[in-house]
Amino acid sequence: MKRLQRIFACLLLCALLAGLTSVPAAALSDVPEDFWAKEDIDRCVALRYFYPESDGSFGVGKEMSRAEFVAVLCRCFGWKPTSPARAVYEDVSEKAWYAGALEIAYHQGAITSQDGNFRPDDLITRSEAASMLVRALGYGSLAGLIQDMSLPFRDVKANNGYIVMAYGLGLMDGTSVTAFSPDGHVTREQAAAILMRLYDKLHDPTASSIGIAASAENLPDLKGYEAVGVSAAKLTYNGAPQISPAMSGETARAVCAAAAAAGTKPLLHVTGGSYHIREGESERLAQVLLQAVEEGDYEGLFLEVSGLTLASQRDTLTAAAQILQEKLGERALYIGVEAPLWKGAILGYDYAALGEAADRLVLRFEHKKETAAGRTVAPLEPLEQIYYALNRLRGVVDADKLTLALTSTGAVWEGREPDYVTGGEVAALAAERTTRSHYSDRYACAYLIRENGPDVWYLDGQAIRERTQLARLFGGGHLCLSDLNHALPEVLEAMPKVP
């Protein structure tokens, strides 16, 4: 897929060039030591995204043309200009120095052709730069889906989705609190700063994997996982919050042993719902959870609570989390919550307070379906919902704590709720002669069309990598698999691992 090809090419190029030393400051005569973009400029020149001017200067303050910006973008993403170049635009000669860059950028989807012209010598606007950058990342479709999301800028009237993304991903700032200046131009130093922000996000080494295990059977290799949630208990209620076993003690110990052997933290994974979270019972809730962790000798707690809508439930869960944070000491506290939904109901979670108390705040996304052309469309953890949640929580919760819960099994809709099938069953269905396998670029999700049964939607390795990439761009990249025991091998392979 072009989106992943673009990203991997960029990563490969950056890795190859990472050992280059910065050009000495003296070689750039117009970049003083205290210049705001000096570090970004030096790094960009070292990576050969930019070249110094013929007089030894960088060209500080020089506004870039559309052709120049595309050329720099191609270098950043590792796209080799075509040679000999072929005409893509009526106003671009095949002999122009930038013709090959425009051609490859066009085929990669970073630029488009609406009237047959490109206007290569026109100065590039901030709005155009945002559009090219987002398209280069492969998020053109996503930008169209989120174009109605709000912006703090009052002067944005067009290209909303692209500017929303460029701003939301932290690649471009406004020129003031309420202005983006979409018609303003981009200077060479501003472009250098943008590209280095992108570079740093793509190379953030902190991405990690978490998984949930419901059995000791069919456990994958757990080496490289940060933690494993052992689904050994669930919340119940009988006049007060209580804990009931969800697996035998022998099975729980076996999962813990496998995690310990792999150098992975075993956490007690406890699930509950709105019925179990009641006003005034925070201390009792924290007490029973802490006791279960201590009795099972776990290295922490992974508490996952769904369905909260009331302020009283929000306050109870928050207070319990704060108590647990204190009482658990050095042991880990992961809290799973429902992600904020775009155009959805206001949920009963204090994300800021929970994010402060927890080591990881795991966001779970609601699964929905719709019908299009007579077929069920039911992508798992759609990119637009992930984007909204991460953008909504930007600055509210530490990005390095936010973790995406991803479904590692397939989903089949025959009624109002999905039925989940194992990764092995998905693979078996995909191998049937009457089944057609597809990947939706629109949703970044795989699906099977079956002649004798309902469609199956699932995340494959490519879908996992795409969600990892989007999370990285927000400064995170942490993933949690819903079912380690029944995941597709390619899903397990695609998960980020700690060396």
Side-chain angles (χ1 to χ4, degrees):
M1 178 184 164
K2 285 185 178 179
R3 179 186 299 151
L4 289 177
Q5 290 172 346
R6 285 190 285 267
I7 292 169
F8 294 153
C10 178
L11 291 173
L12 177 60
L13 178 68
C14 293
L16 290 173
L17 297 175
L20 295 174
T21 58
S22 297
V23 172
L28 301 172
S29 58
D30 58 344
V31 183
E33 286 294 326
D34 60 351
F35 187 57
W36 71 270
K38 174 177 169 49
E39 181 180 353
D40 294 327
I41 290 171
D42 286 349
R43 293 173 67 198
C44 269
V45 172
L47 290 166
R48 298 179 185 173
Y49 297 168
F50 281 86
Y51 295 95
E53 301 281 77
S54 59
D55 63 357
S57 68
F58 178 74
V60 169
K62 181 181 177 182
E63 295 175 337
M64 300 186 72
S65 70
R66 286 165 53 84
E68 288 170 336
F69 189 81
V70 170
V72 170
L73 207 58
C74 287
R75 295 167 196 159
C76 174
F77 281 90
W79 301 336
K80 185 177 180 180
T82 56
S83 181
R86 294 169 295 179
V88 176
Y89 299 97
E90 295 178 6
D91 60 348
V92 176
S93 168
E94 295 178 353
K95 297 181 180 180
W97 69 268
Y98 47 76
L102 294 189
E103 183 181 352
I104 189 63
Y106 174 79
H107 289 302
Q108 292 287 350
I111 55 178
T112 60
S113 176
Q114 295 180 347
D115 61 2
N117 294 313
F118 183 72
R119 299 179 288 110
D121 296 326
D122 286 3
L123 297 179
I124 189 165
T125 67
R126 287 170 52 80
S127 176
E128 291 168 342
S131 297
M132 290 184 191
L133 188 64
V134 170
R135 284 183 174 276
L137 284 166
Y139 294 136
S141 296
L142 180 55
L145 295 171
I146 64 172
Q147 61 182 333
D148 294 331
M149 288 187 182
S150 62
L151 273 170
F153 311 122
R154 300 173 183 171
D155 57 351
V156 175
K157 308 298 180 184
N159 286 342
N160 291 50
Y162 296 105
I163 295 174
V164 163
M165 287 206 70
Y167 174 70
L169 295 176
L171 301 176
M172 295 182 71
D173 298 321
T175 54
S176 74
V177 175
T178 59
F180 185 78
S181 301
D183 296 327
H185 299 137
V186 179
T187 64
R188 284 168 62 85
E189 64 269 23
Q190 289 168 348
I194 291 169
L195 294 184
M196 286 301 95
R197 290 171 188 170
L198 174 61
Y199 181 96
D200 290 339
K201 289 175 182 292
L202 293 176
H203 289 77
D204 187 337
T206 61
S208 64
S209 295
I210 304 164
I212 298 173
S215 170
E217 298 181 1
N218 301 319
L219 270 179
D221 182 1
L222 300 178
K223 187 176 181 179
Y225 280 79
E226 177 182 89
V228 173
V230 185
S231 293
K234 58 184 178 181
L235 285 174
T236 58
Y237 195 89
N238 186 14
Q242 297 180 355
I243 294 290
S244 294
M247 66 170 60
S248 69
E250 181 181 358
T251 300
R253 288 189 291 273
V255 177
C256 289
T264 301
K265 293 183 295 189
L267 310 180
L268 174 62
H269 179 243
V270 182
T271 57
S274 58
Y275 181 77
H276 310 111
I277 309 298
R278 306 198 182 191
E279 186 175 5
E281 296 185 339
S282 301
E283 292 188 11
R284 172 59 181 170
L285 175 61
Q287 180 184 352
V288 298
L289 290 168
L290 183 62
Q291 181 178 348
V293 169
E294 292 175 341
E295 289 178 351
D297 197 25
Y298 291 95
E299 293 189 34
L301 172 69
F302 184 171
L303 174 62
E304 193 164 6
V305 181
S306 60
L308 302 192
T309 58
L310 302 177
S312 59
Q313 296 171 332
R314 176 198 64 205
D315 295 342
T316 298
L317 178 61
T318 299
Q322 292 167 340
I323 296 170
L324 286 166
Q325 178 194 29
E326 178 184 356
K327 299 296 185 182
L328 284 169
E330 296 299 317
R331 287 172 291 192
L333 175 60
Y334 292 12
I335 298 179
V337 299
E338 292 178 68
L341 290 175
W342 183 31
K343 300 179 180 179
I346 298 175
L347 302 177
Y349 302 95
D350 186 335
Y351 297 106
L354 292 175
E356 183 68 26
D359 296 289
R360 292 270 181 257
L361 189 66
V362 183
L363 304 177
R364 187 171 294 281
F365 297 84
E366 182 181 3
H367 292 162
K368 293 183 177 181
K369 71 169 182 175
E370 58 185 54
T371 302
R375 307 209 70 89
T376 296
V377 179
L380 303 176
E381 289 83 46
L383 285 187
E384 62 264 33
Q385 293 293 352
I386 292 176
Y387 178 88
Y388 173 78
L390 294 177
N391 188 51
R392 165 71 175 76
L393 297 177
R394 188 173 66 133
V396 176
V397 178
D398 182 352
D400 193 42
K401 290 187 176 185
L402 290 174
T403 304
L404 305 180
L406 300 182
T407 305
S408 52
T409 54
V412 179
W413 291 77
E414 294 188 275
R416 298 182 62 181
E417 298 293 331
D419 294 319
Y420 295 99
V421 295
T422 67
E425 290 171 322
V426 171
L429 291 171
E432 291 182 357
R433 183 177 57 84
T434 58
T435 298
R436 288 176 291 158
S437 300
H438 297 271
Y439 189 89
S440 169
D441 289 336
R442 156 70 174 79
Y443 295 107
C445 191
Y447 63 102
L448 304 176
I449 294 180
R450 304 159 60 203
E451 287 187 6
N452 301 314
D455 297 349
V456 180
W457 286 79
Y458 64 102
L459 301 181
D460 62 2
Q462 180 171 310
I464 295 294
R465 287 187 289 271
E466 294 215 44
R467 284 152 181 77
T468 305
Q469 186 64 53
L470 185 56
R472 277 184 183 273
L473 288 168
F474 273 102
H478 309 292
L479 306 183
C480 176
L481 281 185
S482 66
D483 187 342
L484 285 172
N485 304 92
H486 300 106
L488 279 167
E490 64 176 298
V491 167
L492 296 170
E493 180 65 26
M495 293 290 285
K497 303 295 194 305
V498 177

